[in-house]
Each structure stands twice: as C-alpha cells, then as structure tokens.
Amino acid sequence: MSRRECPRGGSGGTGATSPEGDAGGTAPRRGTSRPARARAWAELLRLPALFSVPGDALAGTAAAGAPPNARTLLAIGSSLCLYEAGMALNDWADREVDAVERPHRPLPSGRIRPAAALTAACALTGAGLALAARAGRPALAVAAPLAATVWAYDLTLKHTPAGPVAMGAARGLDLLLGAAATTGRTRRALPSAALLGTHTLAVTTVSRQEAQGGSPLAPVAALATTALLTRLVTHRPPDYRGAAAHGLLGPRATPPPGTALGRKPTAHLTTALAAAYVAATARPYFHAALNPSPPLTQRAVGAGIRATIPLQATLTARSKGTATALLIAALAPLGARFAKKVSVT
C-alpha cells in the first residue's frame, strides 16, 4: 500500500538538505557506492514499515476462523509487494513537492532516478497481483481493487478529502486479502477490516499536516479514535462455539460448560495487546494535540504507523488466534529497532 499514513515529512525530520543531495537534484550521482544505493532504496521503500504488513493477512485469516496455511503466505507476499509499490509510486508522484519540502528524499536528492522508482512501482504491483492469483480467484478479486486503490491514492486522491478514506480502505482490503486467500470468504473478516481501516484513516488524517503543522483537531480526533477502537476490540459480545455460533441457543440459554473458562486467556491477551496499542499512540497524539508543530506531528504519525502492529495482534487475539497474535506482536520491537535507522514516514 502506499505511504499510507504518511504523505509528508520524516519522523522527526526537518526537511533540511542532506549531504547526499540538494533540493533540485533529479539525476543520480555518479560513483555512488553500493551501500549508499541500498540505503537510498531502503529510504524510498521505507523498509521498516514492512513489519506492519504481515499482520493484515494474519488478522484477516484469524477473523475468518481459519489457521494460516500456504495461501496465507502468498497473501502476505502479495501485501508486501503492493505496499512497497505504493511507497515507490508515492515518492514518484510527489517528487516535485518533495524537492521543496523534503529535498533529502531519494528522488529529489538525485540518489534514485524517478524512472527507476516508477518502474519499481509497476513491477511490484505486477508481482503482488501474480502472488494473489496464485492464492486463488477470491484473493485476486480482493488484490485487484486493493492495487487500484493504492494507485488512485498516490496519483489522484492523496491531496483530496477522500485521501484518508482511500488509505483506510486500502488497509481494510489488505486484511480481507488474508481471509480471501486462506478461506475463499471475507464476510466474517469485515468487522476487523473496518476497525483496522478506521485506525489507518485517523493516522492518515494526522499526517496531512505533518510538513507545516496545523490544527490540534486531527491528533485529538486520532486520540479519540484510539479510545473508541480499544473499547470495541476489548468489549466483544459473547461468541459461543458450536450451537450458539449457528444461532441454535436461545437468548437466555447458558453457554456450554467450560466456555467462559476457555475465553479467559484469550480475553486477557486481547486486553494486554489493546493496552500496548494505547501505549504506542496515546502520548504522541496528546503531545501533537498540545503543540501541533511539524516535529511532534511527525512523531505522532510514526507512532500511529507502528501502533498498527499491536492493533493487528489485538484483532487476531480476539478471534482466538493466540499463537498468531503473539507472532504479530513480536514484529513490533523489530520494526521499532529498524525504524531508528530508516524513517517509516
């Protein structure tokens, strides 16, 4: 998906020219070393943000009530390709704006050619669709509109009021891709997709003012959204298995013996992961609300992107995917570690 929650600004960056380029550079510097080229591509693709991607498909699989399988892995591969396609396309579409606001980025600094970024976006989109096709027709039926949403956002919708909605839709579709690839069905995963998409919409709204700063309304709204989502994921209605799952228990029927006991570990894990989600976002959002300056807003956006992982884990845990939820949660410290080297915004 594209630079979904971060149309502008680096995490804590100021937009100053780096030693590797200037605001007007468009051609790659000659004699650039291989490590320097690798770092330029890592910056363009925002590689640390990739840790927020596998949880989409895994959460969708759990919401569909199935364990991960080989088709889930294909869905994850498709998501990774489409996400990075959006990253490359985003910088290609924003190259003129970035030349003014963020001249240190790989394209305006001349470290990567615009044509190379566009070629990468096309190739990654094709690879993502091919992997989805390998996972089956239901997966391709979700991946195609997902790819279209990514391209529409980067080329047309980004600077319109529909931009945050498009990014929320893209993240929701990415979760549904996991469900479609694994089970061939998406209906049971729709509530989780809506919750994850709402989080992305809130972060994207904050990101729209991270270059120049602005109103505190966006971070306040994001803070309220975090509180609402936390309540929704931790106050799930009873979900009894077997007869109750098919509506065969009456409204006053008692749950099967042991059901409540079996739900306790899941409920405790869901609550703990939801607390991690709140902890990742509350303080940066609050600081950005008090002082919506570019540096604090950028930190809030970065926190919102990283918080996607504990939210994915929470959604997976509440769907009784305990082991998968723990696996997703383990990606958070890895993403935070690599984000210290390459910005995710």
Side-chain angles (χ1 to χ4, degrees), residues 75-92:
I76 292 174
S78 175
S79 296
L80 291 170
C81 289
L82 293 177
Y83 191 95
E84 291 294 38
M87 292 291 190
L89 182 65
N90 185 88
D91 273 31
W92 179 83

Side-chain angles (χ1 to χ4, degrees), residues 10-121:
S11 182
T14 62
T17 304
S18 76
E20 300 188 65
D22 55 43
T26 56
R29 297 183 179 277
R30 298 183 181 276
T32 304
S33 66
R34 182 173 298 179
R37 288 197 299 271
R39 179 172 180 81
W41 279 99
E43 291 179 19
L44 176 72
L45 300 176
R46 295 169 181 80
L47 292 184
L50 282 180
F51 289 97
S52 72
V53 177
D56 288 348
L58 293 173
T61 297
N69 57 29
R71 291 191 299 275
T72 311
L73 295 178
L74 289 172
I76 292 174
S78 175
S79 296
L80 291 170
C81 289
L82 293 177
Y83 191 95
E84 291 294 38
M87 292 291 190
L89 182 65
N90 185 88
D91 273 31
W92 179 83
D94 273 2
R95 61 194 185 279
E96 294 182 359
V97 176
D98 283 345
V100 176
E101 295 184 354
R102 309 178 66 206
H104 59 286
R105 291 295 301 162
L107 266 62
S109 67
R111 289 177 288 153
I112 295 177
R113 290 181 181 274
L118 181 59
T119 300

Side-chain angles (χ1 to χ4, degrees), residues 299-311:
R299 291 175 191 169
V301 173
I305 295 172
R306 292 188 293 273
T308 301
I309 298 176
L311 178 57

Side-chain angles (χ1 to χ4, degrees), residues 9 11 21 23 49 115 144 148-150 171 189 193 200 211 222 236 256-257 266 278 286 300 313 322 325 335:
S11 182
T149 302
V150 169
R171 185 65 86 165
T200 301
R236 187 181 181 186
T266 298
V278 173
F286 183 69
T322 302

Side-chain angles (χ1 to χ4, degrees), residues 196-216:
L196 188 61
T198 300
H199 166 77
T200 301
L201 186 154
V203 179
T204 307
T205 301
V206 176
S207 74
R208 291 165 74 88
Q209 59 184 37
E210 65 176 342
Q212 293 88 17
S215 169

Side-chain angles (χ1 to χ4, degrees), residues 273-274 276-277 280 306-315 328-329 332:
L273 292 171
Y277 167 59
R306 292 188 293 273
T308 301
I309 298 176
L311 178 57
Q312 293 163 339
T314 305
L315 293 171
I328 295 172

